[in-house]
Amino acid sequence: MKRRSLRSRRAVGVPCAALAAVLLVSSCTQGAVAKGSVGAGGVGDPLFPSLGNGGYDVRHYGLDLAYDVADKRLDATARITAKATQDLRAFRLDLQGLRVTSVRVDGAPAGFSRKGHKLTVRPAEGLRKGSTFRTTVAYDGVPQEMTDADGASEGWVKTADGAFVSGEPAGSMTWFPGNNHPSDKAAYDIRITVPRGYTAVAGGELRSSVTSGGRTTFAWHSGEPMATYLATATIGRFDVHQSRTADGLPLYVAVDPKEAAGSRKALDRLPEVLAWSRKLFGPYPFASAGAIVDHTPERIDWVALETQTKPVYAGAPDTSTVVHETAHQWFGDSVTPRTWEDAWLNEGFAQYAEWLWEAHEGGRTPQERFDALYALEDDDEDEADGVSYEELWEFPPGDPGSAENVTGTPVYDRGAMVLQQLRNAVGERAFFRILKEWPAAHRHGNADSEEFIDFCQERTEVDLTDLFDDWLYGEGRPDWEY
């Protein structure tokens, strides 16, 4: 998840609207429509009810993007392969801004209309439950960044030499149409054409880069399922370094030259961090790894996002941040939350990985980190690791309550405290088994908090009911600890 600086997390005031209404556009393409329902314009997410769509499951995105850096214009085609989960006479995709010029379903022209960030598609013929269908959307325009519920910028963020592209929680719909919710993961093939001399980076593996007529096309393939918010198409003038780890995992690291000196120390340790993470969390879940470090506008007040296989860093990262985003490849990217309410399953684990790394480096133990946070009092202004009492206990990590809290301090730090309490309760052996077996059991899938609680309870004779009730869902600071 977007890991915001502690300063900027405290500075957020009244949240901006995450999903502003956009221009209403309609098409008069006609076609006979069979009986069926219209897929729901949302999947019932407790924090972001308008994100995602019902009635189908996406299997593959084929995105063909051409970006003019000077004009900041995108000309694109999205080919979306999906399986209908109900009879459909129409379905919806999430797309904010940009102009849709045509839509086809299985090769035939389809009707479409726009309202807010929803693109409603009406196939010429109805889609039967269980059928696989392909939707092709041609679209263009100047993609815009958006302000999410916690006040942070995301989406297609223009930089001095291209674009810094991040999608959490909703920003992917600023540059491609899709089922924009973490519960619907798919494979991706992304082709990005940019002026010669620029580099375009996406998740997965680089299949080819071909230059012709003053433009270069980069073709990227992500074979493992990926949530829309974890996709990127970041463009700029990058220094690119390709290598392999000692055990053969391909690495692709792209760094803006302005951030090269500050990034070197942390990125040089990426192979070491990956090896350490594998020992703790099990086999690395993807076919490649890497990083994108961009030089972003000052208004980008967050640190990094765990885009799949290549986290994007909004400036030179330190080693702890690299550890955090690397841990997300297991917790968040491979095992993705079923709803945004379960975001602590991403951030609590990634934050705890930082605690484990500090101990590995000879610093404080996780228990000492926990104790410093727990010792905070509500009648003074003391902080532990930049976190105040008020911030830490503002809401329970398992029940953020509102969209603006999805990147709040409790999701990170109190989420890590839940894991330390779990460790104390079940013991070292069982706890470190959980760290490996949980991502293995849900590899490339989705999971929620209830499943995690059941998973842990099955691995111990200790009754964990009170632990999770108080530490994951309880209001305020619990009055007990293991």
Side-chain angles (χ1 to χ4, degrees):
M1 181 171 292
K2 277 183 306 197
R3 187 169 184 264
R4 306 189 68 196
S5 67
L6 292 170
R7 174 194 59 76
S8 63
R9 282 191 242 163
R10 290 197 298 272
V12 172
V14 178
C16 298
L19 303 174
V22 295
L23 183 66
L24 299 180
V25 184
S26 65
S27 164
C28 60
T29 305
Q30 300 295 322
V33 179
K35 291 182 179 180
S37 60
V38 178
V43 295
D45 190 282
L47 303 185
F48 297 89
S50 70
L51 288 184
N53 303 282
Y56 62 92
D57 175 48
V58 178
R59 303 301 175 87
H60 181 266
Y61 289 96
L63 306 179
D64 200 336
L65 314 171
Y67 189 61
D68 188 315
V69 175
D71 292 341
K72 299 177 173 53
R73 180 181 176 82
L74 182 68
D75 289 279
T77 301
R79 298 172 178 86
I80 305 165
T81 303
K83 183 177 181 179
T85 57
Q86 63 187 66
D87 289 343
L88 291 171
R89 58 184 172 86
F91 60 92
R92 296 180 173 97
L93 297 166
D94 296 302
L95 180 66
Q96 178 158 311
L98 300 172
R99 180 184 66 146
V100 175
T101 57
S102 71
V103 179
R104 304 178 75 89
V105 176
D106 290 333
F112 64 92
S113 59
R114 305 286 297 277
K115 184 175 182 180
H117 67 274
K118 295 296 180 182
L119 168 63
T120 300
V121 178
R122 301 183 299 278
E125 296 184 3
L127 303 170
R128 295 200 176 278
K129 180 179 179 180
S131 65
T132 298
F133 62 98
R134 187 180 192 184
T135 304
T136 302
V137 181
Y139 59 103
D140 59 31
V142 177
Q144 302 294 320
E145 66 185 78
M146 62 183 294
T147 302
D148 65 25
D150 65 6
S153 297
E154 61 167 318
W156 193 278
V157 179
K158 299 173 186 67
T159 61
D161 62 351
F164 176 77
V165 181
S166 64
E168 187 191 22
S172 70
M173 66 187 182
T174 65
W175 60 282
F176 72 94
N179 198 12
N180 192 20
H181 191 266
S183 61
D184 193 357
K185 302 167 70 171
Y188 283 73
D189 282 281
I190 304 178
R191 289 166 44 89
I192 313 166
T193 301
V194 292
R196 183 174 183 171
Y198 291 85
T199 300
V201 190
E205 297 73 59
L206 181 63
R207 289 291 177 85
S208 65
S209 60
V210 179
T211 300
S212 176
R215 297 173 70 79
T216 304
T217 298
F218 295 84
W220 292 92
H221 172 73
S222 296
E224 300 92 356
M226 178 165 64
T228 53
Y229 83 94
L230 297 171
T232 190
T234 293
I235 297 163
R237 294 187 183 272
F238 293 110
D239 293 335
V240 175
H241 180 67
Q242 298 185 67
S243 62
R244 290 181 179 269
T245 63
D247 60 351
L249 182 71
L251 299 179
Y252 186 103
V253 177
V255 182
D256 187 293
K258 296 183 181 68
E259 304 293 341
S263 300
R264 188 169 296 114
K265 181 179 179 181
L267 295 182
D268 282 350
R269 300 194 73 179
L270 178 58
E272 177 188 356
V273 170
L274 284 162
W276 174 82
S277 300
R278 284 196 296 267
K279 289 180 181 178
L280 285 172
F281 311 138
Y284 181 72
F286 304 111
S288 64
I292 306 168
V293 183
D294 209 347
H295 186 70
T296 57
E298 290 185 2
R299 66 180 178 278
I300 303 301
D301 60 356
W302 48 273
V303 179
L305 175 65
E306 64 272 18
T307 48
Q308 195 156 300
T309 71
K310 297 178 191 67
V312 292
Y313 299 95
D318 58 22
T319 304
S320 291
T321 303
V322 171
V323 169
H324 185 107
E325 304 308 326
T326 298
H328 272 311
Q329 302 305 305
W330 284 263
F331 305 104
D333 293 16
S334 180
V335 185
T336 304
R338 198 173 302 284
T339 75
W340 284 113
E341 194 172 53
D342 305 306
W344 83 275
L345 288 171
N346 294 11
E347 300 306 334
F349 276 95
Q351 193 78 348
Y352 196 77
E354 288 192 50
W355 292 11
L356 291 170
W357 177 262
E358 182 177 347
H360 170 73
E361 293 283 277
R364 294 170 296 173
T365 67
Q367 187 62 53
E368 289 171 332
R369 294 283 296 261
F370 175 99
D371 290 343
L373 290 168
Y374 191 78
L376 290 170
E377 297 294 340
D378 63 354
D379 58 353
D380 58 42
E381 296 182 359
D382 288 344
E383 293 185 345
D385 293 318
V387 176
S388 69
Y389 179 98
E390 182 180 2
E391 291 171 321
L392 184 62
W393 306 109
E394 183 180 4
F395 59 86
D399 186 15
S402 65
E404 67 198 80
N405 291 333
V406 75
T407 58
T409 296
V411 175
Y412 290 74
D413 295 280
R414 188 171 164 185
M417 295 178 80
V418 171
L419 295 177
Q420 181 60 28
Q421 288 291 72
L422 178 65
R423 179 178 179 176
N424 293 337
V426 303
E428 297 290 288
R429 184 175 180 180
F431 178 75
F432 285 98
R433 278 183 58 207
I434 289 169
L435 286 190
K436 281 188 176 180
E437 293 177 359
W438 171 251
H442 296 279
R443 186 179 176 92
H444 300 150
N446 295 87
D448 59 29
S449 298
E450 184 176 346
E451 288 172 289
F452 179 70
I453 293 170
D454 291 343
F455 187 90
C456 295
Q457 189 62 75
E458 291 168 359
R459 282 153 180 78
T460 182
E461 295 181 357
V462 177
D463 187 348
L464 301 176
T465 303
D466 289 344
L467 188 158
F468 286 110
D469 282 352
D470 289 351
W471 283 91
L472 185 58
Y473 294 112
E475 298 286 346
R477 182 173 68 177
D479 59 4
W480 66 279
E481 53 182 310
Y482 279 98

